[in-house]
Amino acid sequence: MTIAIVGIGLIGGSLAITLKENGFAQRIIGVDKNPDNIDKALRRRLIDDALPLAEAVAQADVVILATPVDVIVELAPRLLDLAEQQVIIEVGSTKTAVVEALRQHPRRGRFVAAHPMAGTEYSGPEAAVPNLFDGKCTVLCDTEHSDPDAVETAERLFHSIPMQVVYLDAAAHDVHTAYVSHISHISSFALALTVLAKEKDEDRIFELASGGFSSTVRLAKSSPDMWAPIFRQNRDNVLDVLDEHISQLSRFRSLLIKKDFSAFYQLMEEANAIRKIIS
Amino acid sequence: MTIAIVGIGLIGGSLAITLKENGFAQRIIGVDKNPDNIDKALRRRLIDDALPLAEAVAQADVVILATPVDVIVELAPRLLDLAEQQVIIEVGSTKTAVVEALRQHPRRGRFVAAHPMAGTEYSGPEAAVPNLFDGKCTVLCDTEHSDPDAVETAERLFHSIPMQVVYLDAAAHDVHTAYVSHISHISSFALALTVLAKEKDEDRIFELASGGFSSTVRLAKSSPDMWAPIFRQNRDNVLDVLDEHISQLSRFRSLLIKKDFSAFYQLMEEANAIRKIIS
């Protein structure tokens, strides 16, 4: 099978490595508007060759669209215009905007909205790694609007990695990811700014940073080019979760103010229930 | 050298493994008011034997006090009452309260306040691991109040691991750790509660939890028994940092409300400066 990957960054590049290594793809064509990315992807052998968009689509069986989500919304209709029997799989972090943009498209059936739930705080082809997706979960959205053979191709692709496949409608997906991904990023960005602000007065502060700190702020290294469009598209859900998060923090704050450490203890104990979720 | 470790949990147990393995200690005596912990520590061979507090101190060259910080403040004066030439090293996460409690003690010189900056979200002797401290940083506080030979013994102990040793006064230590450790824990506890609250309505929400989510909430598994006393003792500093953190989150919130994604982008870019700090 020939796979064209549009956007050879962390996600597109990691899929390229994985699908070539496991034999799902015999040939990977790279498409990227940034010649630097193409150059790096060729040198790292993430892709077999690079082609302009239309030629890549013409030669591919499957096209994976792995750009930032604002570009996905812009390119998805153009890719469907070009598609004949190809399957176009989009792998962005938000879903409502892209399925809305394609709602009336005559070739909507060739399109599959997918979200492989994995990533790191790094970006670009240099950040691509094998095994990024192993054992993780991919969400397929609104599959009733995709042709059965297109869904089946997407399922085979993700199962080959291997990933577990889960089905949600686009709106539910965007709510869920606001909770289990997007808010974590805002929290990290804000924690980083909190500590960086203090660093202006205390230049030795980071000598003491330990594993717990790194763990909670590492997402603050994430690319604004990738994340600004996600927050724009999922703004309403993210705002709901952010309000809830600020209100939870305010509960801890008011217990500190009141020096009510027994209620503070109980809140921490409630939060410990997260143990049943993440191992 | 014989080392008595009072409190055989994550920190005490991990120090026991490390100092025995690297030859700094020939014998490790365990002291713990919880017979279960002693039993586990003996079965895991973290300690050579277990003794009551006074006997353990009498037979030791160095006593490491590794209980929760409220118990540290209570036990440190009693240990100093018992000490003759022994060095008493306390390894808690807060410093002002314990150095205050010992200010007038006639044997203050035998005491060293130390904070090896490492840990995990787990607790108890079963959580003890080798290599927990390798290459990390230990803070020694108010060393001018300790006897030079006591400081020198503590330095040799931490260098043997090996750890880097840094010197701060107790008040500065407590400000710094509020920023690079304590706030990360509150943030994680609050994030866990945010998502657990939503889970009541959406029972499949955690299927999608990925690495970024786990990374930002894993500290929410931390023990309230260990953390409530830390927040109690470092309440004023933690409250300052928490206020700053809530205000940083509110900046993101108000930009989302205004849909000002270009300012939102700039805030994320500022936060990216954390890259220079954590690799």
Side-chain angles (χ1 to χ4, degrees):
Chain A
M1 190 176 281
T2 295
I3 296 187
I5 298 185
V6 183
I8 298 287
L10 166 69
I11 300 298
S14 298
L15 284 171
I17 301 172
T18 306
L19 296 172
K20 192 71 180 286
E21 271 185 11
N22 74 6
F24 190 88
Q26 277 69 56
R27 180 181 169 214
I28 305 267
I29 308 171
V31 182
D32 203 297
K33 68 166 186 187
N34 181 342
D36 246 25
N37 284 353
I38 288 293
D39 190 47
K40 286 176 189 159
L42 283 167
R43 278 189 286 118
R44 282 199 64 191
R45 298 175 186 272
L46 302 178
I47 59 178
D48 295 299
D49 42 16
L51 288 176
L53 188 67
E55 281 173 64
V57 174
Q59 294 185 27
D61 304 295
V62 170
V63 181
I64 295 176
L65 181 49
T67 63
V69 294
D70 52 339
V71 182
I72 285 180
V73 170
E74 187 191 311
L75 280 187
R78 284 178 53 201
L79 286 173
L80 278 187
D81 292 343
L82 295 167
E84 294 176 14
Q85 281 317 300
Q86 294 91 332
V87 179
I88 314 290
I89 303 174
E90 161 274 319
V91 292
S93 297
T94 52
K95 292 291 165 255
T96 310
V98 67
V99 302
E100 277 305 316
L102 297 177
R103 188 166 299 281
Q104 307 299 333
H105 198 286
R107 294 206 184 105
R108 170 65 179 84
R110 305 315 299 156
F111 175 81
V112 180
H115 185 186
M117 301 288 301
T120 73
E121 63 274 37
Y122 304 108
S123 52
E126 57 273 40
V129 283
N131 312 323
L132 178 64
F133 302 105
D134 291 15
K136 303 286 171 57
C137 181
T138 286
V139 189
L140 298 188
C141 291
D142 293 5
T143 46
E144 68 279 15
H145 299 306
S146 303
D147 295 343
D149 76 288
V151 174
E152 200 258 339
T153 298
E155 288 167 340
R156 277 195 297 120
L157 186 152
F158 291 112
H159 284 146
S160 79
I161 290 177
M163 297 184 83
Q164 188 194 342
V165 175
V166 164
Y167 304 84
L168 281 178
D169 66 63
H173 168 277
D174 286 1
V175 171
H176 282 50
T177 51
Y179 277 89
V180 297
S181 164
H182 305 172
I183 188 65
S184 289
H185 285 78
I186 294 189
S187 168
S188 274
F189 283 122
L191 261 183
L193 290 175
T194 301
V195 182
L196 287 164
K198 185 66 176 178
E199 194 206 11
K200 286 173 190 153
D201 316 316
E202 305 269 352
D203 56 334
R204 297 178 62 204
I205 203 161
F206 288 111
E207 282 179 345
L208 309 193
S210 62
F213 176 74
S214 300
S215 168
T216 46
V217 301
R218 73 172 175 83
L219 298 178
K221 297 190 270 182
S222 300
S223 156
D225 289 327
M226 173 177 166
W227 281 94
I230 291 173
F231 292 125
R232 181 193 293 267
Q233 289 186 11
N234 207 20
R235 177 243 188 203
D236 295 353
N237 291 318
V238 169
L239 204 43
D240 285 348
V241 188
L242 184 52
D243 280 342
E244 171 69 22
H245 181 49
I246 290 174
S247 115
Q248 294 290 356
L249 284 168
S250 302
R251 289 171 76 193
F252 284 102
R253 178 176 181 273
S254 80
L255 294 174
L256 281 178
I257 288 172
K258 290 189 277 183
K259 302 189 183 180
D260 184 348
F261 291 100
S262 103
F264 199 101
Y265 184 101
Q266 279 169 31
L267 268 193
M268 289 191 284
E269 229 175 13
E270 276 176 45
N272 281 170
I274 205 74
R275 284 179 190 151
K276 68 177 189 221
I277 309 303
I278 57 168
S279 55
Chain B
M1 187 174 283
T2 295
I3 298 187
I5 299 185
V6 183
I8 299 287
L10 167 69
I11 300 299
S14 298
L15 283 171
I17 301 173
T18 306
L19 296 172
K20 192 72 181 288
E21 272 187 8
N22 75 8
F24 190 87
Q26 277 70 56
R27 180 181 168 215
I28 306 267
I29 308 170
V31 182
D32 204 297
K33 68 165 186 186
N34 182 343
D36 247 24
N37 284 353
I38 288 294
D39 191 48
K40 285 178 190 158
L42 283 168
R43 277 190 286 118
R44 282 199 62 191
R45 297 174 185 272
L46 302 178
I47 58 179
D48 296 299
D49 42 16
L51 288 175
L53 188 67
E55 281 173 63
V57 174
Q59 293 184 27
D61 304 296
V62 170
V63 180
I64 296 176
L65 182 48
T67 62
V69 296
D70 52 339
V71 182
I72 285 180
V73 170
E74 186 191 313
L75 280 188
R78 283 178 54 200
L79 286 174
L80 278 188
D81 294 342
L82 297 167
E84 296 175 13
Q85 281 317 300
Q86 294 89 332
V87 179
I88 315 289
I89 303 174
E90 160 274 321
V91 293
S93 297
T94 52
K95 292 290 165 256
T96 310
V98 68
V99 302
E100 277 306 317
L102 296 177
R103 187 168 299 284
Q104 307 299 334
H105 198 286
R107 294 207 184 104
R108 171 64 178 86
R110 305 315 299 157
F111 175 81
V112 180
H115 185 186
M117 302 288 301
T120 73
E121 64 274 37
Y122 304 107
S123 52
E126 58 273 40
V129 282
N131 312 321
L132 179 63
F133 302 105
D134 291 14
K136 303 286 170 56
C137 182
T138 285
V139 189
L140 297 187
C141 290
D142 293 6
T143 47
E144 68 280 13
H145 299 307
S146 304
D147 296 342
D149 75 288
V151 175
E152 200 256 340
T153 298
E155 287 167 341
R156 277 194 297 118
L157 185 152
F158 291 112
H159 283 146
S160 80
I161 290 178
M163 296 184 82
Q164 188 195 343
V165 175
V166 165
Y167 303 84
L168 281 177
D169 65 63
H173 168 277
D174 285 1
V175 171
H176 282 51
T177 50
Y179 277 90
V180 297
S181 165
H182 305 174
I183 187 66
S184 290
H185 286 77
I186 294 190
S187 166
S188 274
F189 284 120
L191 261 182
L193 290 176
T194 301
V195 182
L196 287 164
K198 185 65 176 180
E199 194 206 11
K200 287 171 191 153
D201 315 317
E202 304 268 353
D203 56 331
R204 297 179 63 203
I205 201 161
F206 287 111
E207 283 181 343
L208 309 192
S210 62
F213 176 75
S214 301
S215 168
T216 47
V217 302
R218 73 172 175 84
L219 297 178
K221 297 189 272 182
S222 300
S223 157
D225 290 326
M226 172 178 168
W227 280 95
I230 292 173
F231 292 126
R232 181 193 293 268
Q233 290 186 10
N234 207 21
R235 177 242 190 202
D236 295 354
N237 291 319
V238 169
L239 205 42
D240 284 349
V241 188
L242 184 53
D243 280 342
E244 172 69 20
H245 182 48
I246 291 173
S247 116
Q248 293 290 355
L249 283 169
S250 302
R251 290 169 76 193
F252 284 102
R253 178 175 182 273
S254 81
L255 294 174
L256 280 178
I257 288 172
K258 288 190 279 184
K259 301 188 184 183
D260 184 348
F261 291 99
S262 105
F264 199 100
Y265 184 103
Q266 279 169 32
L267 269 193
M268 290 192 281
E269 229 175 13
E270 276 176 44
N272 281 169
I274 205 74
R275 282 177 191 154
K276 68 178 188 219
I277 309 304
I278 56 168
S279 55

